[in-house]
Amino acid sequence: MKTILLNNGVEMPLLGYGVFRVTPQECERCVSDALGVGYRLIDTAQAYFNEEGVGNAVRKSGVPRQDIFLVTKVWISNAGEEKAAASIDESLRKLKTDYIDLLLIHQAYGDVFGSWRAMEKACRAGKVRAIGVSNFQAGRFFDFAHYVDIKPMVNQLQCNPLVQQQGIGPVLAEYGTRMMAWGPLGGEGAEGVVGSDLLAAIGEAHGKTAAQVALRWLTQRGIVAIPKSTHVERMRQNLDIFDFTLTDGEMERIAALNCHDTGTVNFGDPQFVKFLIETYG
Ligand SMILES: NC(=O)c1ccc[n+]([C@@H]2O[C@H](COP(=O)([O-])OP(=O)(O)OC[C@H]3O[C@@H](n4cnc5c(N)ncnc54)[C@H](OP(=O)(O)O)[C@@H]3O)[C@@H](O)[C@H]2O)c1
């Protein structure tokens, strides 16, 4: 598996497996399948309610713990120094591990500076190897990164050929923060990306699918991608992207697909914030 280096020297796989909307009942089987076909990065979150399934699958996999890169996220209801600290211990318990490889603040709401202090402490205590944020858009990210002691190693954002996040690139670069793409195939349904005629045509030239082209386009630019599938054949397909290279011309044609640079979710909409807090809180 190809890897990238984070700004604290931690090595992170360039491609992983995400478990958003994978039910607690199905999660252990899915993560077992994913580890079985070769994924070594698993992305979960407190708000996915499936950390235990991830932990069970890792435990039973026979893969050495140090070969697996576990990512989880602190949810809004656990924001603040004390609550975040307690939630980290709870995540460790559910994941059945004594360290998390990458811990992210899931959303830019609530006492994120308090959460960050708890995450910095967890990092220094060896409970966490790297820390970062998710869904912090450019201005919010800058305000946050400017004032914290340990600079975020990762910002996990919606990113795919239709949502390219080009605007935030220079801001992340200023802090050595790497981008990690959620929804790399377009998300639930994934029609726009996996149904793209251009990606399908480019894929045909390489003997690959539109989904593989989307994942290759991200990883070829050093962006970590974490596609989700509950189907083992698709898990295999999504992992099989390192034996071809997109040409400069193909990369440029894909860049022209960008139509929602900062994402399809309006994080500034109070109704959306209310929904997030009330639904998963
Ligand atoms: N930080 C955040 O706020 C945030 C938000 C969303 C997601 N995430 C993370 O990012 C991960 C991935 O994002 P996502 O789950 O929203 O979306 P995604 O990975 O872009 O797309 C998943 C969808 O694509 C389908 N699919 C998978 N492989 C395919 C293929 N080869 N061909 C055609 N369709 C395919 C899946 O269906 P099947 O399962 O039926 O195969 C599913 O409907 C999540 O699981 C989660 O870990 C983070």
Side-chain angles (χ1 to χ4, degrees), residues 107-122:
Q107 302 286 351
Y109 309 121
D111 179 9
V112 289
F113 285 98
S115 297
W116 195 253
R117 284 194 294 280
M119 291 162 68
E120 288 177 333
K121 273 189 196 154

Side-chain angles (χ1 to χ4, degrees), residues 1-2 14-15 208 216 219 239-244:
M1 172 58 64
K2 291 202 176 186
L14 189 51
L15 188 70
K208 296 288 177 182
R216 178 71 207 184
T219 53
L239 198 59
D240 182 22
I241 58 162
F242 294 109
D243 61 350
F244 76 111

Side-chain angles (χ1 to χ4, degrees), residues 5 21 38 52 57 67-68 71 80 87 135 161 173 201 208 226 258 261:
L5 271 191
R21 294 205 184 98
E52 275 163 330
D67 293 348
I68 298 176
V71 185
S87 83
N135 299 311
K208 296 288 177 182
I226 43 169
N258 195 17
D261 191 55

Side-chain angles (χ1 to χ4, degrees), residues 14 159-161 181 184 213-225:
L14 189 51
C159 190
N160 61 52
V213 171
L215 297 171
R216 178 71 207 184
W217 174 80
L218 286 164
T219 53
Q220 197 165 308
R221 294 159 65 236
I223 297 174
V224 176

Side-chain angles (χ1 to χ4, degrees), residues 4 9 20 32 48 101 114 177 179 186 192 201 213 252 256 268 270 276:
I4 59 161
F20 179 42
S32 297
Y48 299 169
D101 292 279
T177 304
M179 201 194 299
V213 171
E252 276 166 30
L276 275 187

